Amino acid sequence: MITAIRTSYNQQFTPEKYQQFLAGIAQDAGISPAFRVAETPVFIPADLTGKLIQVCEEIVNVLLRPDFKTITRDAIPAALKVPRENDHPHFIVIDFAVCHAEDGSLVPQLIELQGFPTMYAFQEVMARQFKTHFDIPASLSNFFNGLDETTYYQLLRDVIVGDTAPEEVILLEVKPEEQKTRIDFHCTEKALGIKTVCLTALIQEGKQLFYLRDGVKTPIRKIYNRIIFDDLQRQADSLGEYVNLFQDLDVEWITHPNWFYRISKYIMPFIHSEYVPKSWFLHELPVIPTDLENYVLKPLFSFAGQGVLIDVTQADLDNIKDPENWILQHKVKYAPAIATPDGPAICELRMMYVWPDGAARPMLVHNLARISKGKMIGVGFNSQDTWVGGSCCFFEQP
């Protein structure tokens, strides 16, 4: 997106450098990614950086509303509510499409947001390997708010582990070695000294949880939660017996599972910004637009792009029996903003926040990018194209 830097990067790129970059990631993490990593980072110009920070802070202002828990009381499915919810999430991720404004400038448009941690450890590894194997200008940064590699990991350690013994903190997932994001689990273990544990390996005694660490029954004080609970429900029948996480357990959640639902596409109708597409709960839609082709229909309680209807028709609306569980959102048009050797690509950017206990506001810390040449974006939708996949951004300061 920064023309001079993009041109220079493309000219200096070689398949050999790319393979060395991938090998560097695998060596650093201990395993190779289970998804395609793009050949390039995304270079964000200062103007777009400023717009991204502006809209993110506008969204944060909504999260800080004193009535936020009231307006999101129906966001959590009744069967998925977990006790001991805290005052705010420890992690927030906000996804934007990169689009063109009417004047041709690049602007962000909100796609999705979640009170959930994804890829926080791995994204730093990827950015560092890009800097190691390619010529990334020192004037650009993958971090925000003055962080660097050392202080970034210290912040993660403070929030996830804190003053708890690392062996009493676990990263919890369902069948972690089968997850596409498992490389992040390995990076987290390496950076923080905590273990990844499958839900089926938990041991319950009263309200207390334990796991076997090197054969020793070890108490669990904190859970760095990576389970998406509707995914858990879909897999429940294949898991055998496991601890019921919806009971009152003597653990601290990082981030508490309820925030995954409170901070989600559910709150998009409450956010008003030039960089947030108009959205309505389907059952509150004042009038059905005559240009439905310019809208997308999203189920509130489905994730990773599942169930999204891109080409909406009146028949689609007529077939929905639970309109309170859907939102109609104005469609965004991705800009072919990334020049690659075999054609332009589109992208989404994820702005990643950390919210330490006691902090007045969450803090923007890092980022993630997804690059695509298809209709849908995401590592699960990539075709056999090159210069697509998971990536990261380097930002010019506004």
Side-chain angles (χ1 to χ4, degrees), residues 341-357:
D342 53 2
I346 60 175
C347 69
E348 281 182 8
L349 313 179
R350 170 168 290 180
M351 307 294 273
M352 301 165 66
Y353 276 79
V354 173
W355 198 342
D357 287 330

Side-chain angles (χ1 to χ4, degrees), residues 6 10 13 36 38-40 334-348 370-379 381-390:
R6 168 56 57 205
N10 290 7
F13 178 88
R36 193 177 200 285
E39 285 84 342
T40 181
Y334 292 78
I338 302 176
T340 82
D342 53 2
I346 60 175
C347 69
E348 281 182 8
R370 301 186 185 99
I371 302 174
S372 178
K373 294 176 181 175
K375 199 169 188 179
M376 293 285 281
I377 286 193
V379 294
F381 297 104
N382 286 323
S383 67
Q384 299 303 309
D385 290 325
T386 56
W387 293 67
V388 299

Side-chain angles (χ1 to χ4, degrees), residues 203-263:
I203 301 166
Q204 181 178 357
E205 295 180 4
K207 291 186 176 183
Q208 181 67 57
L209 295 180
F210 301 83
Y211 74 110
L212 294 179
R213 185 182 177 107
D214 302 323
V216 178
K217 190 171 77 170
T218 305
I220 299 169
R221 309 295 182 195
K222 289 182 180 177
I223 294 176
Y224 178 41
N225 181 52
R226 297 297 294 274
I227 294 177
I228 296 176
F229 278 68
D230 66 319
D231 281 347
L232 171 59
Q233 284 194 319
R234 282 194 290 270
Q235 299 181 66
D237 292 342
S238 66
L239 297 178
E241 292 188 9
Y242 58 88
V243 170
N244 173 18
L245 297 176
F246 301 104
Q247 59 184 305
D248 186 14
L249 297 167
D250 188 16
V251 295
E252 180 181 353
W253 293 93
I254 313 287
T255 276
H256 192 284
N258 291 356
W259 289 105
F260 179 82
Y261 298 98
R262 287 193 187 276
I263 299 178

Side-chain angles (χ1 to χ4, degrees), residues 101-315:
E102 290 185 4
D103 64 1
S105 63
L106 293 173
V107 294
Q109 287 291 308
L110 179 65
I111 296 295
E112 175 65 287
L113 67 168
Q114 292 174 350
F116 188 79
T118 55
M119 310 299 281
Y120 274 75
F122 174 69
Q123 284 305 115
E124 193 286 324
V125 171
M126 179 195 290
R128 179 155 33 86
Q129 292 299 326
F130 268 125
K131 288 183 281 191
T132 298
H133 295 280
F134 297 95
D135 183 17
I136 308 299
S139 59
L140 306 183
S141 179
N142 49 298
F143 295 108
F144 296 92
N145 285 302
L147 293 172
D148 57 25
E149 176 187 340
T150 300
T151 55
Y152 175 72
Y153 279 124
Q154 185 59 53
L155 177 62
L156 293 184
R157 192 174 298 109
D158 290 345
V159 171
I160 297 171
V161 180
D163 57 4
T164 305
E167 60 268 21
E168 296 182 352
V169 182
I170 65 165
L171 187 160
L172 186 65
E173 182 49 290
V174 178
K175 299 180 180 179
E177 290 308 311
E178 296 181 14
Q179 300 295 329
K180 285 189 175 182
T181 54
R182 59 185 176 268
I183 192 169
D184 183 62
F185 308 158
H186 286 254
C187 295
T188 303
E189 289 185 0
K190 182 177 178 180
L192 305 185
I194 67 176
K195 292 291 187 182
T196 300
V197 177
C198 180
L199 170 62
T200 59
L202 295 181
I203 301 166
Q204 181 178 357
E205 295 180 4
K207 291 186 176 183
Q208 181 67 57
L209 295 180
F210 301 83
Y211 74 110
L212 294 179
R213 185 182 177 107
D214 302 323
V216 178
K217 190 171 77 170
T218 305
I220 299 169
R221 309 295 182 195
K222 289 182 180 177
I223 294 176
Y224 178 41
N225 181 52
R226 297 297 294 274
I227 294 177
I228 296 176
F229 278 68
D230 66 319
D231 281 347
L232 171 59
Q233 284 194 319
R234 282 194 290 270
Q235 299 181 66
D237 292 342
S238 66
L239 297 178
E241 292 188 9
Y242 58 88
V243 170
N244 173 18
L245 297 176
F246 301 104
Q247 59 184 305
D248 186 14
L249 297 167
D250 188 16
V251 295
E252 180 181 353
W253 293 93
I254 313 287
T255 276
H256 192 284
N258 291 356
W259 289 105
F260 179 82
Y261 298 98
R262 287 193 187 276
I263 299 178
S264 67
K265 60 174 95 65
Y266 186 92
I267 67 169
M268 290 184 68
F270 298 104
I271 305 170
H272 305 291
S273 167
E274 61 183 311
Y275 304 126
V276 176
K278 296 293 185 183
S279 303
W280 298 268
F281 295 110
L282 193 55
H283 71 296
E284 295 179 353
L285 186 65
V287 63
I288 295 175
T290 57
D291 58 339
L292 282 174
E293 68 275 8
N294 292 321
Y295 292 81
V296 293
L297 197 56
K298 294 183 175 182
L300 288 175
F301 305 115
S302 180
F303 303 92
Q306 297 179 24
V308 175
L309 298 177
I310 296 177
D311 300 310
V312 183
T313 66
Q314 182 64 51

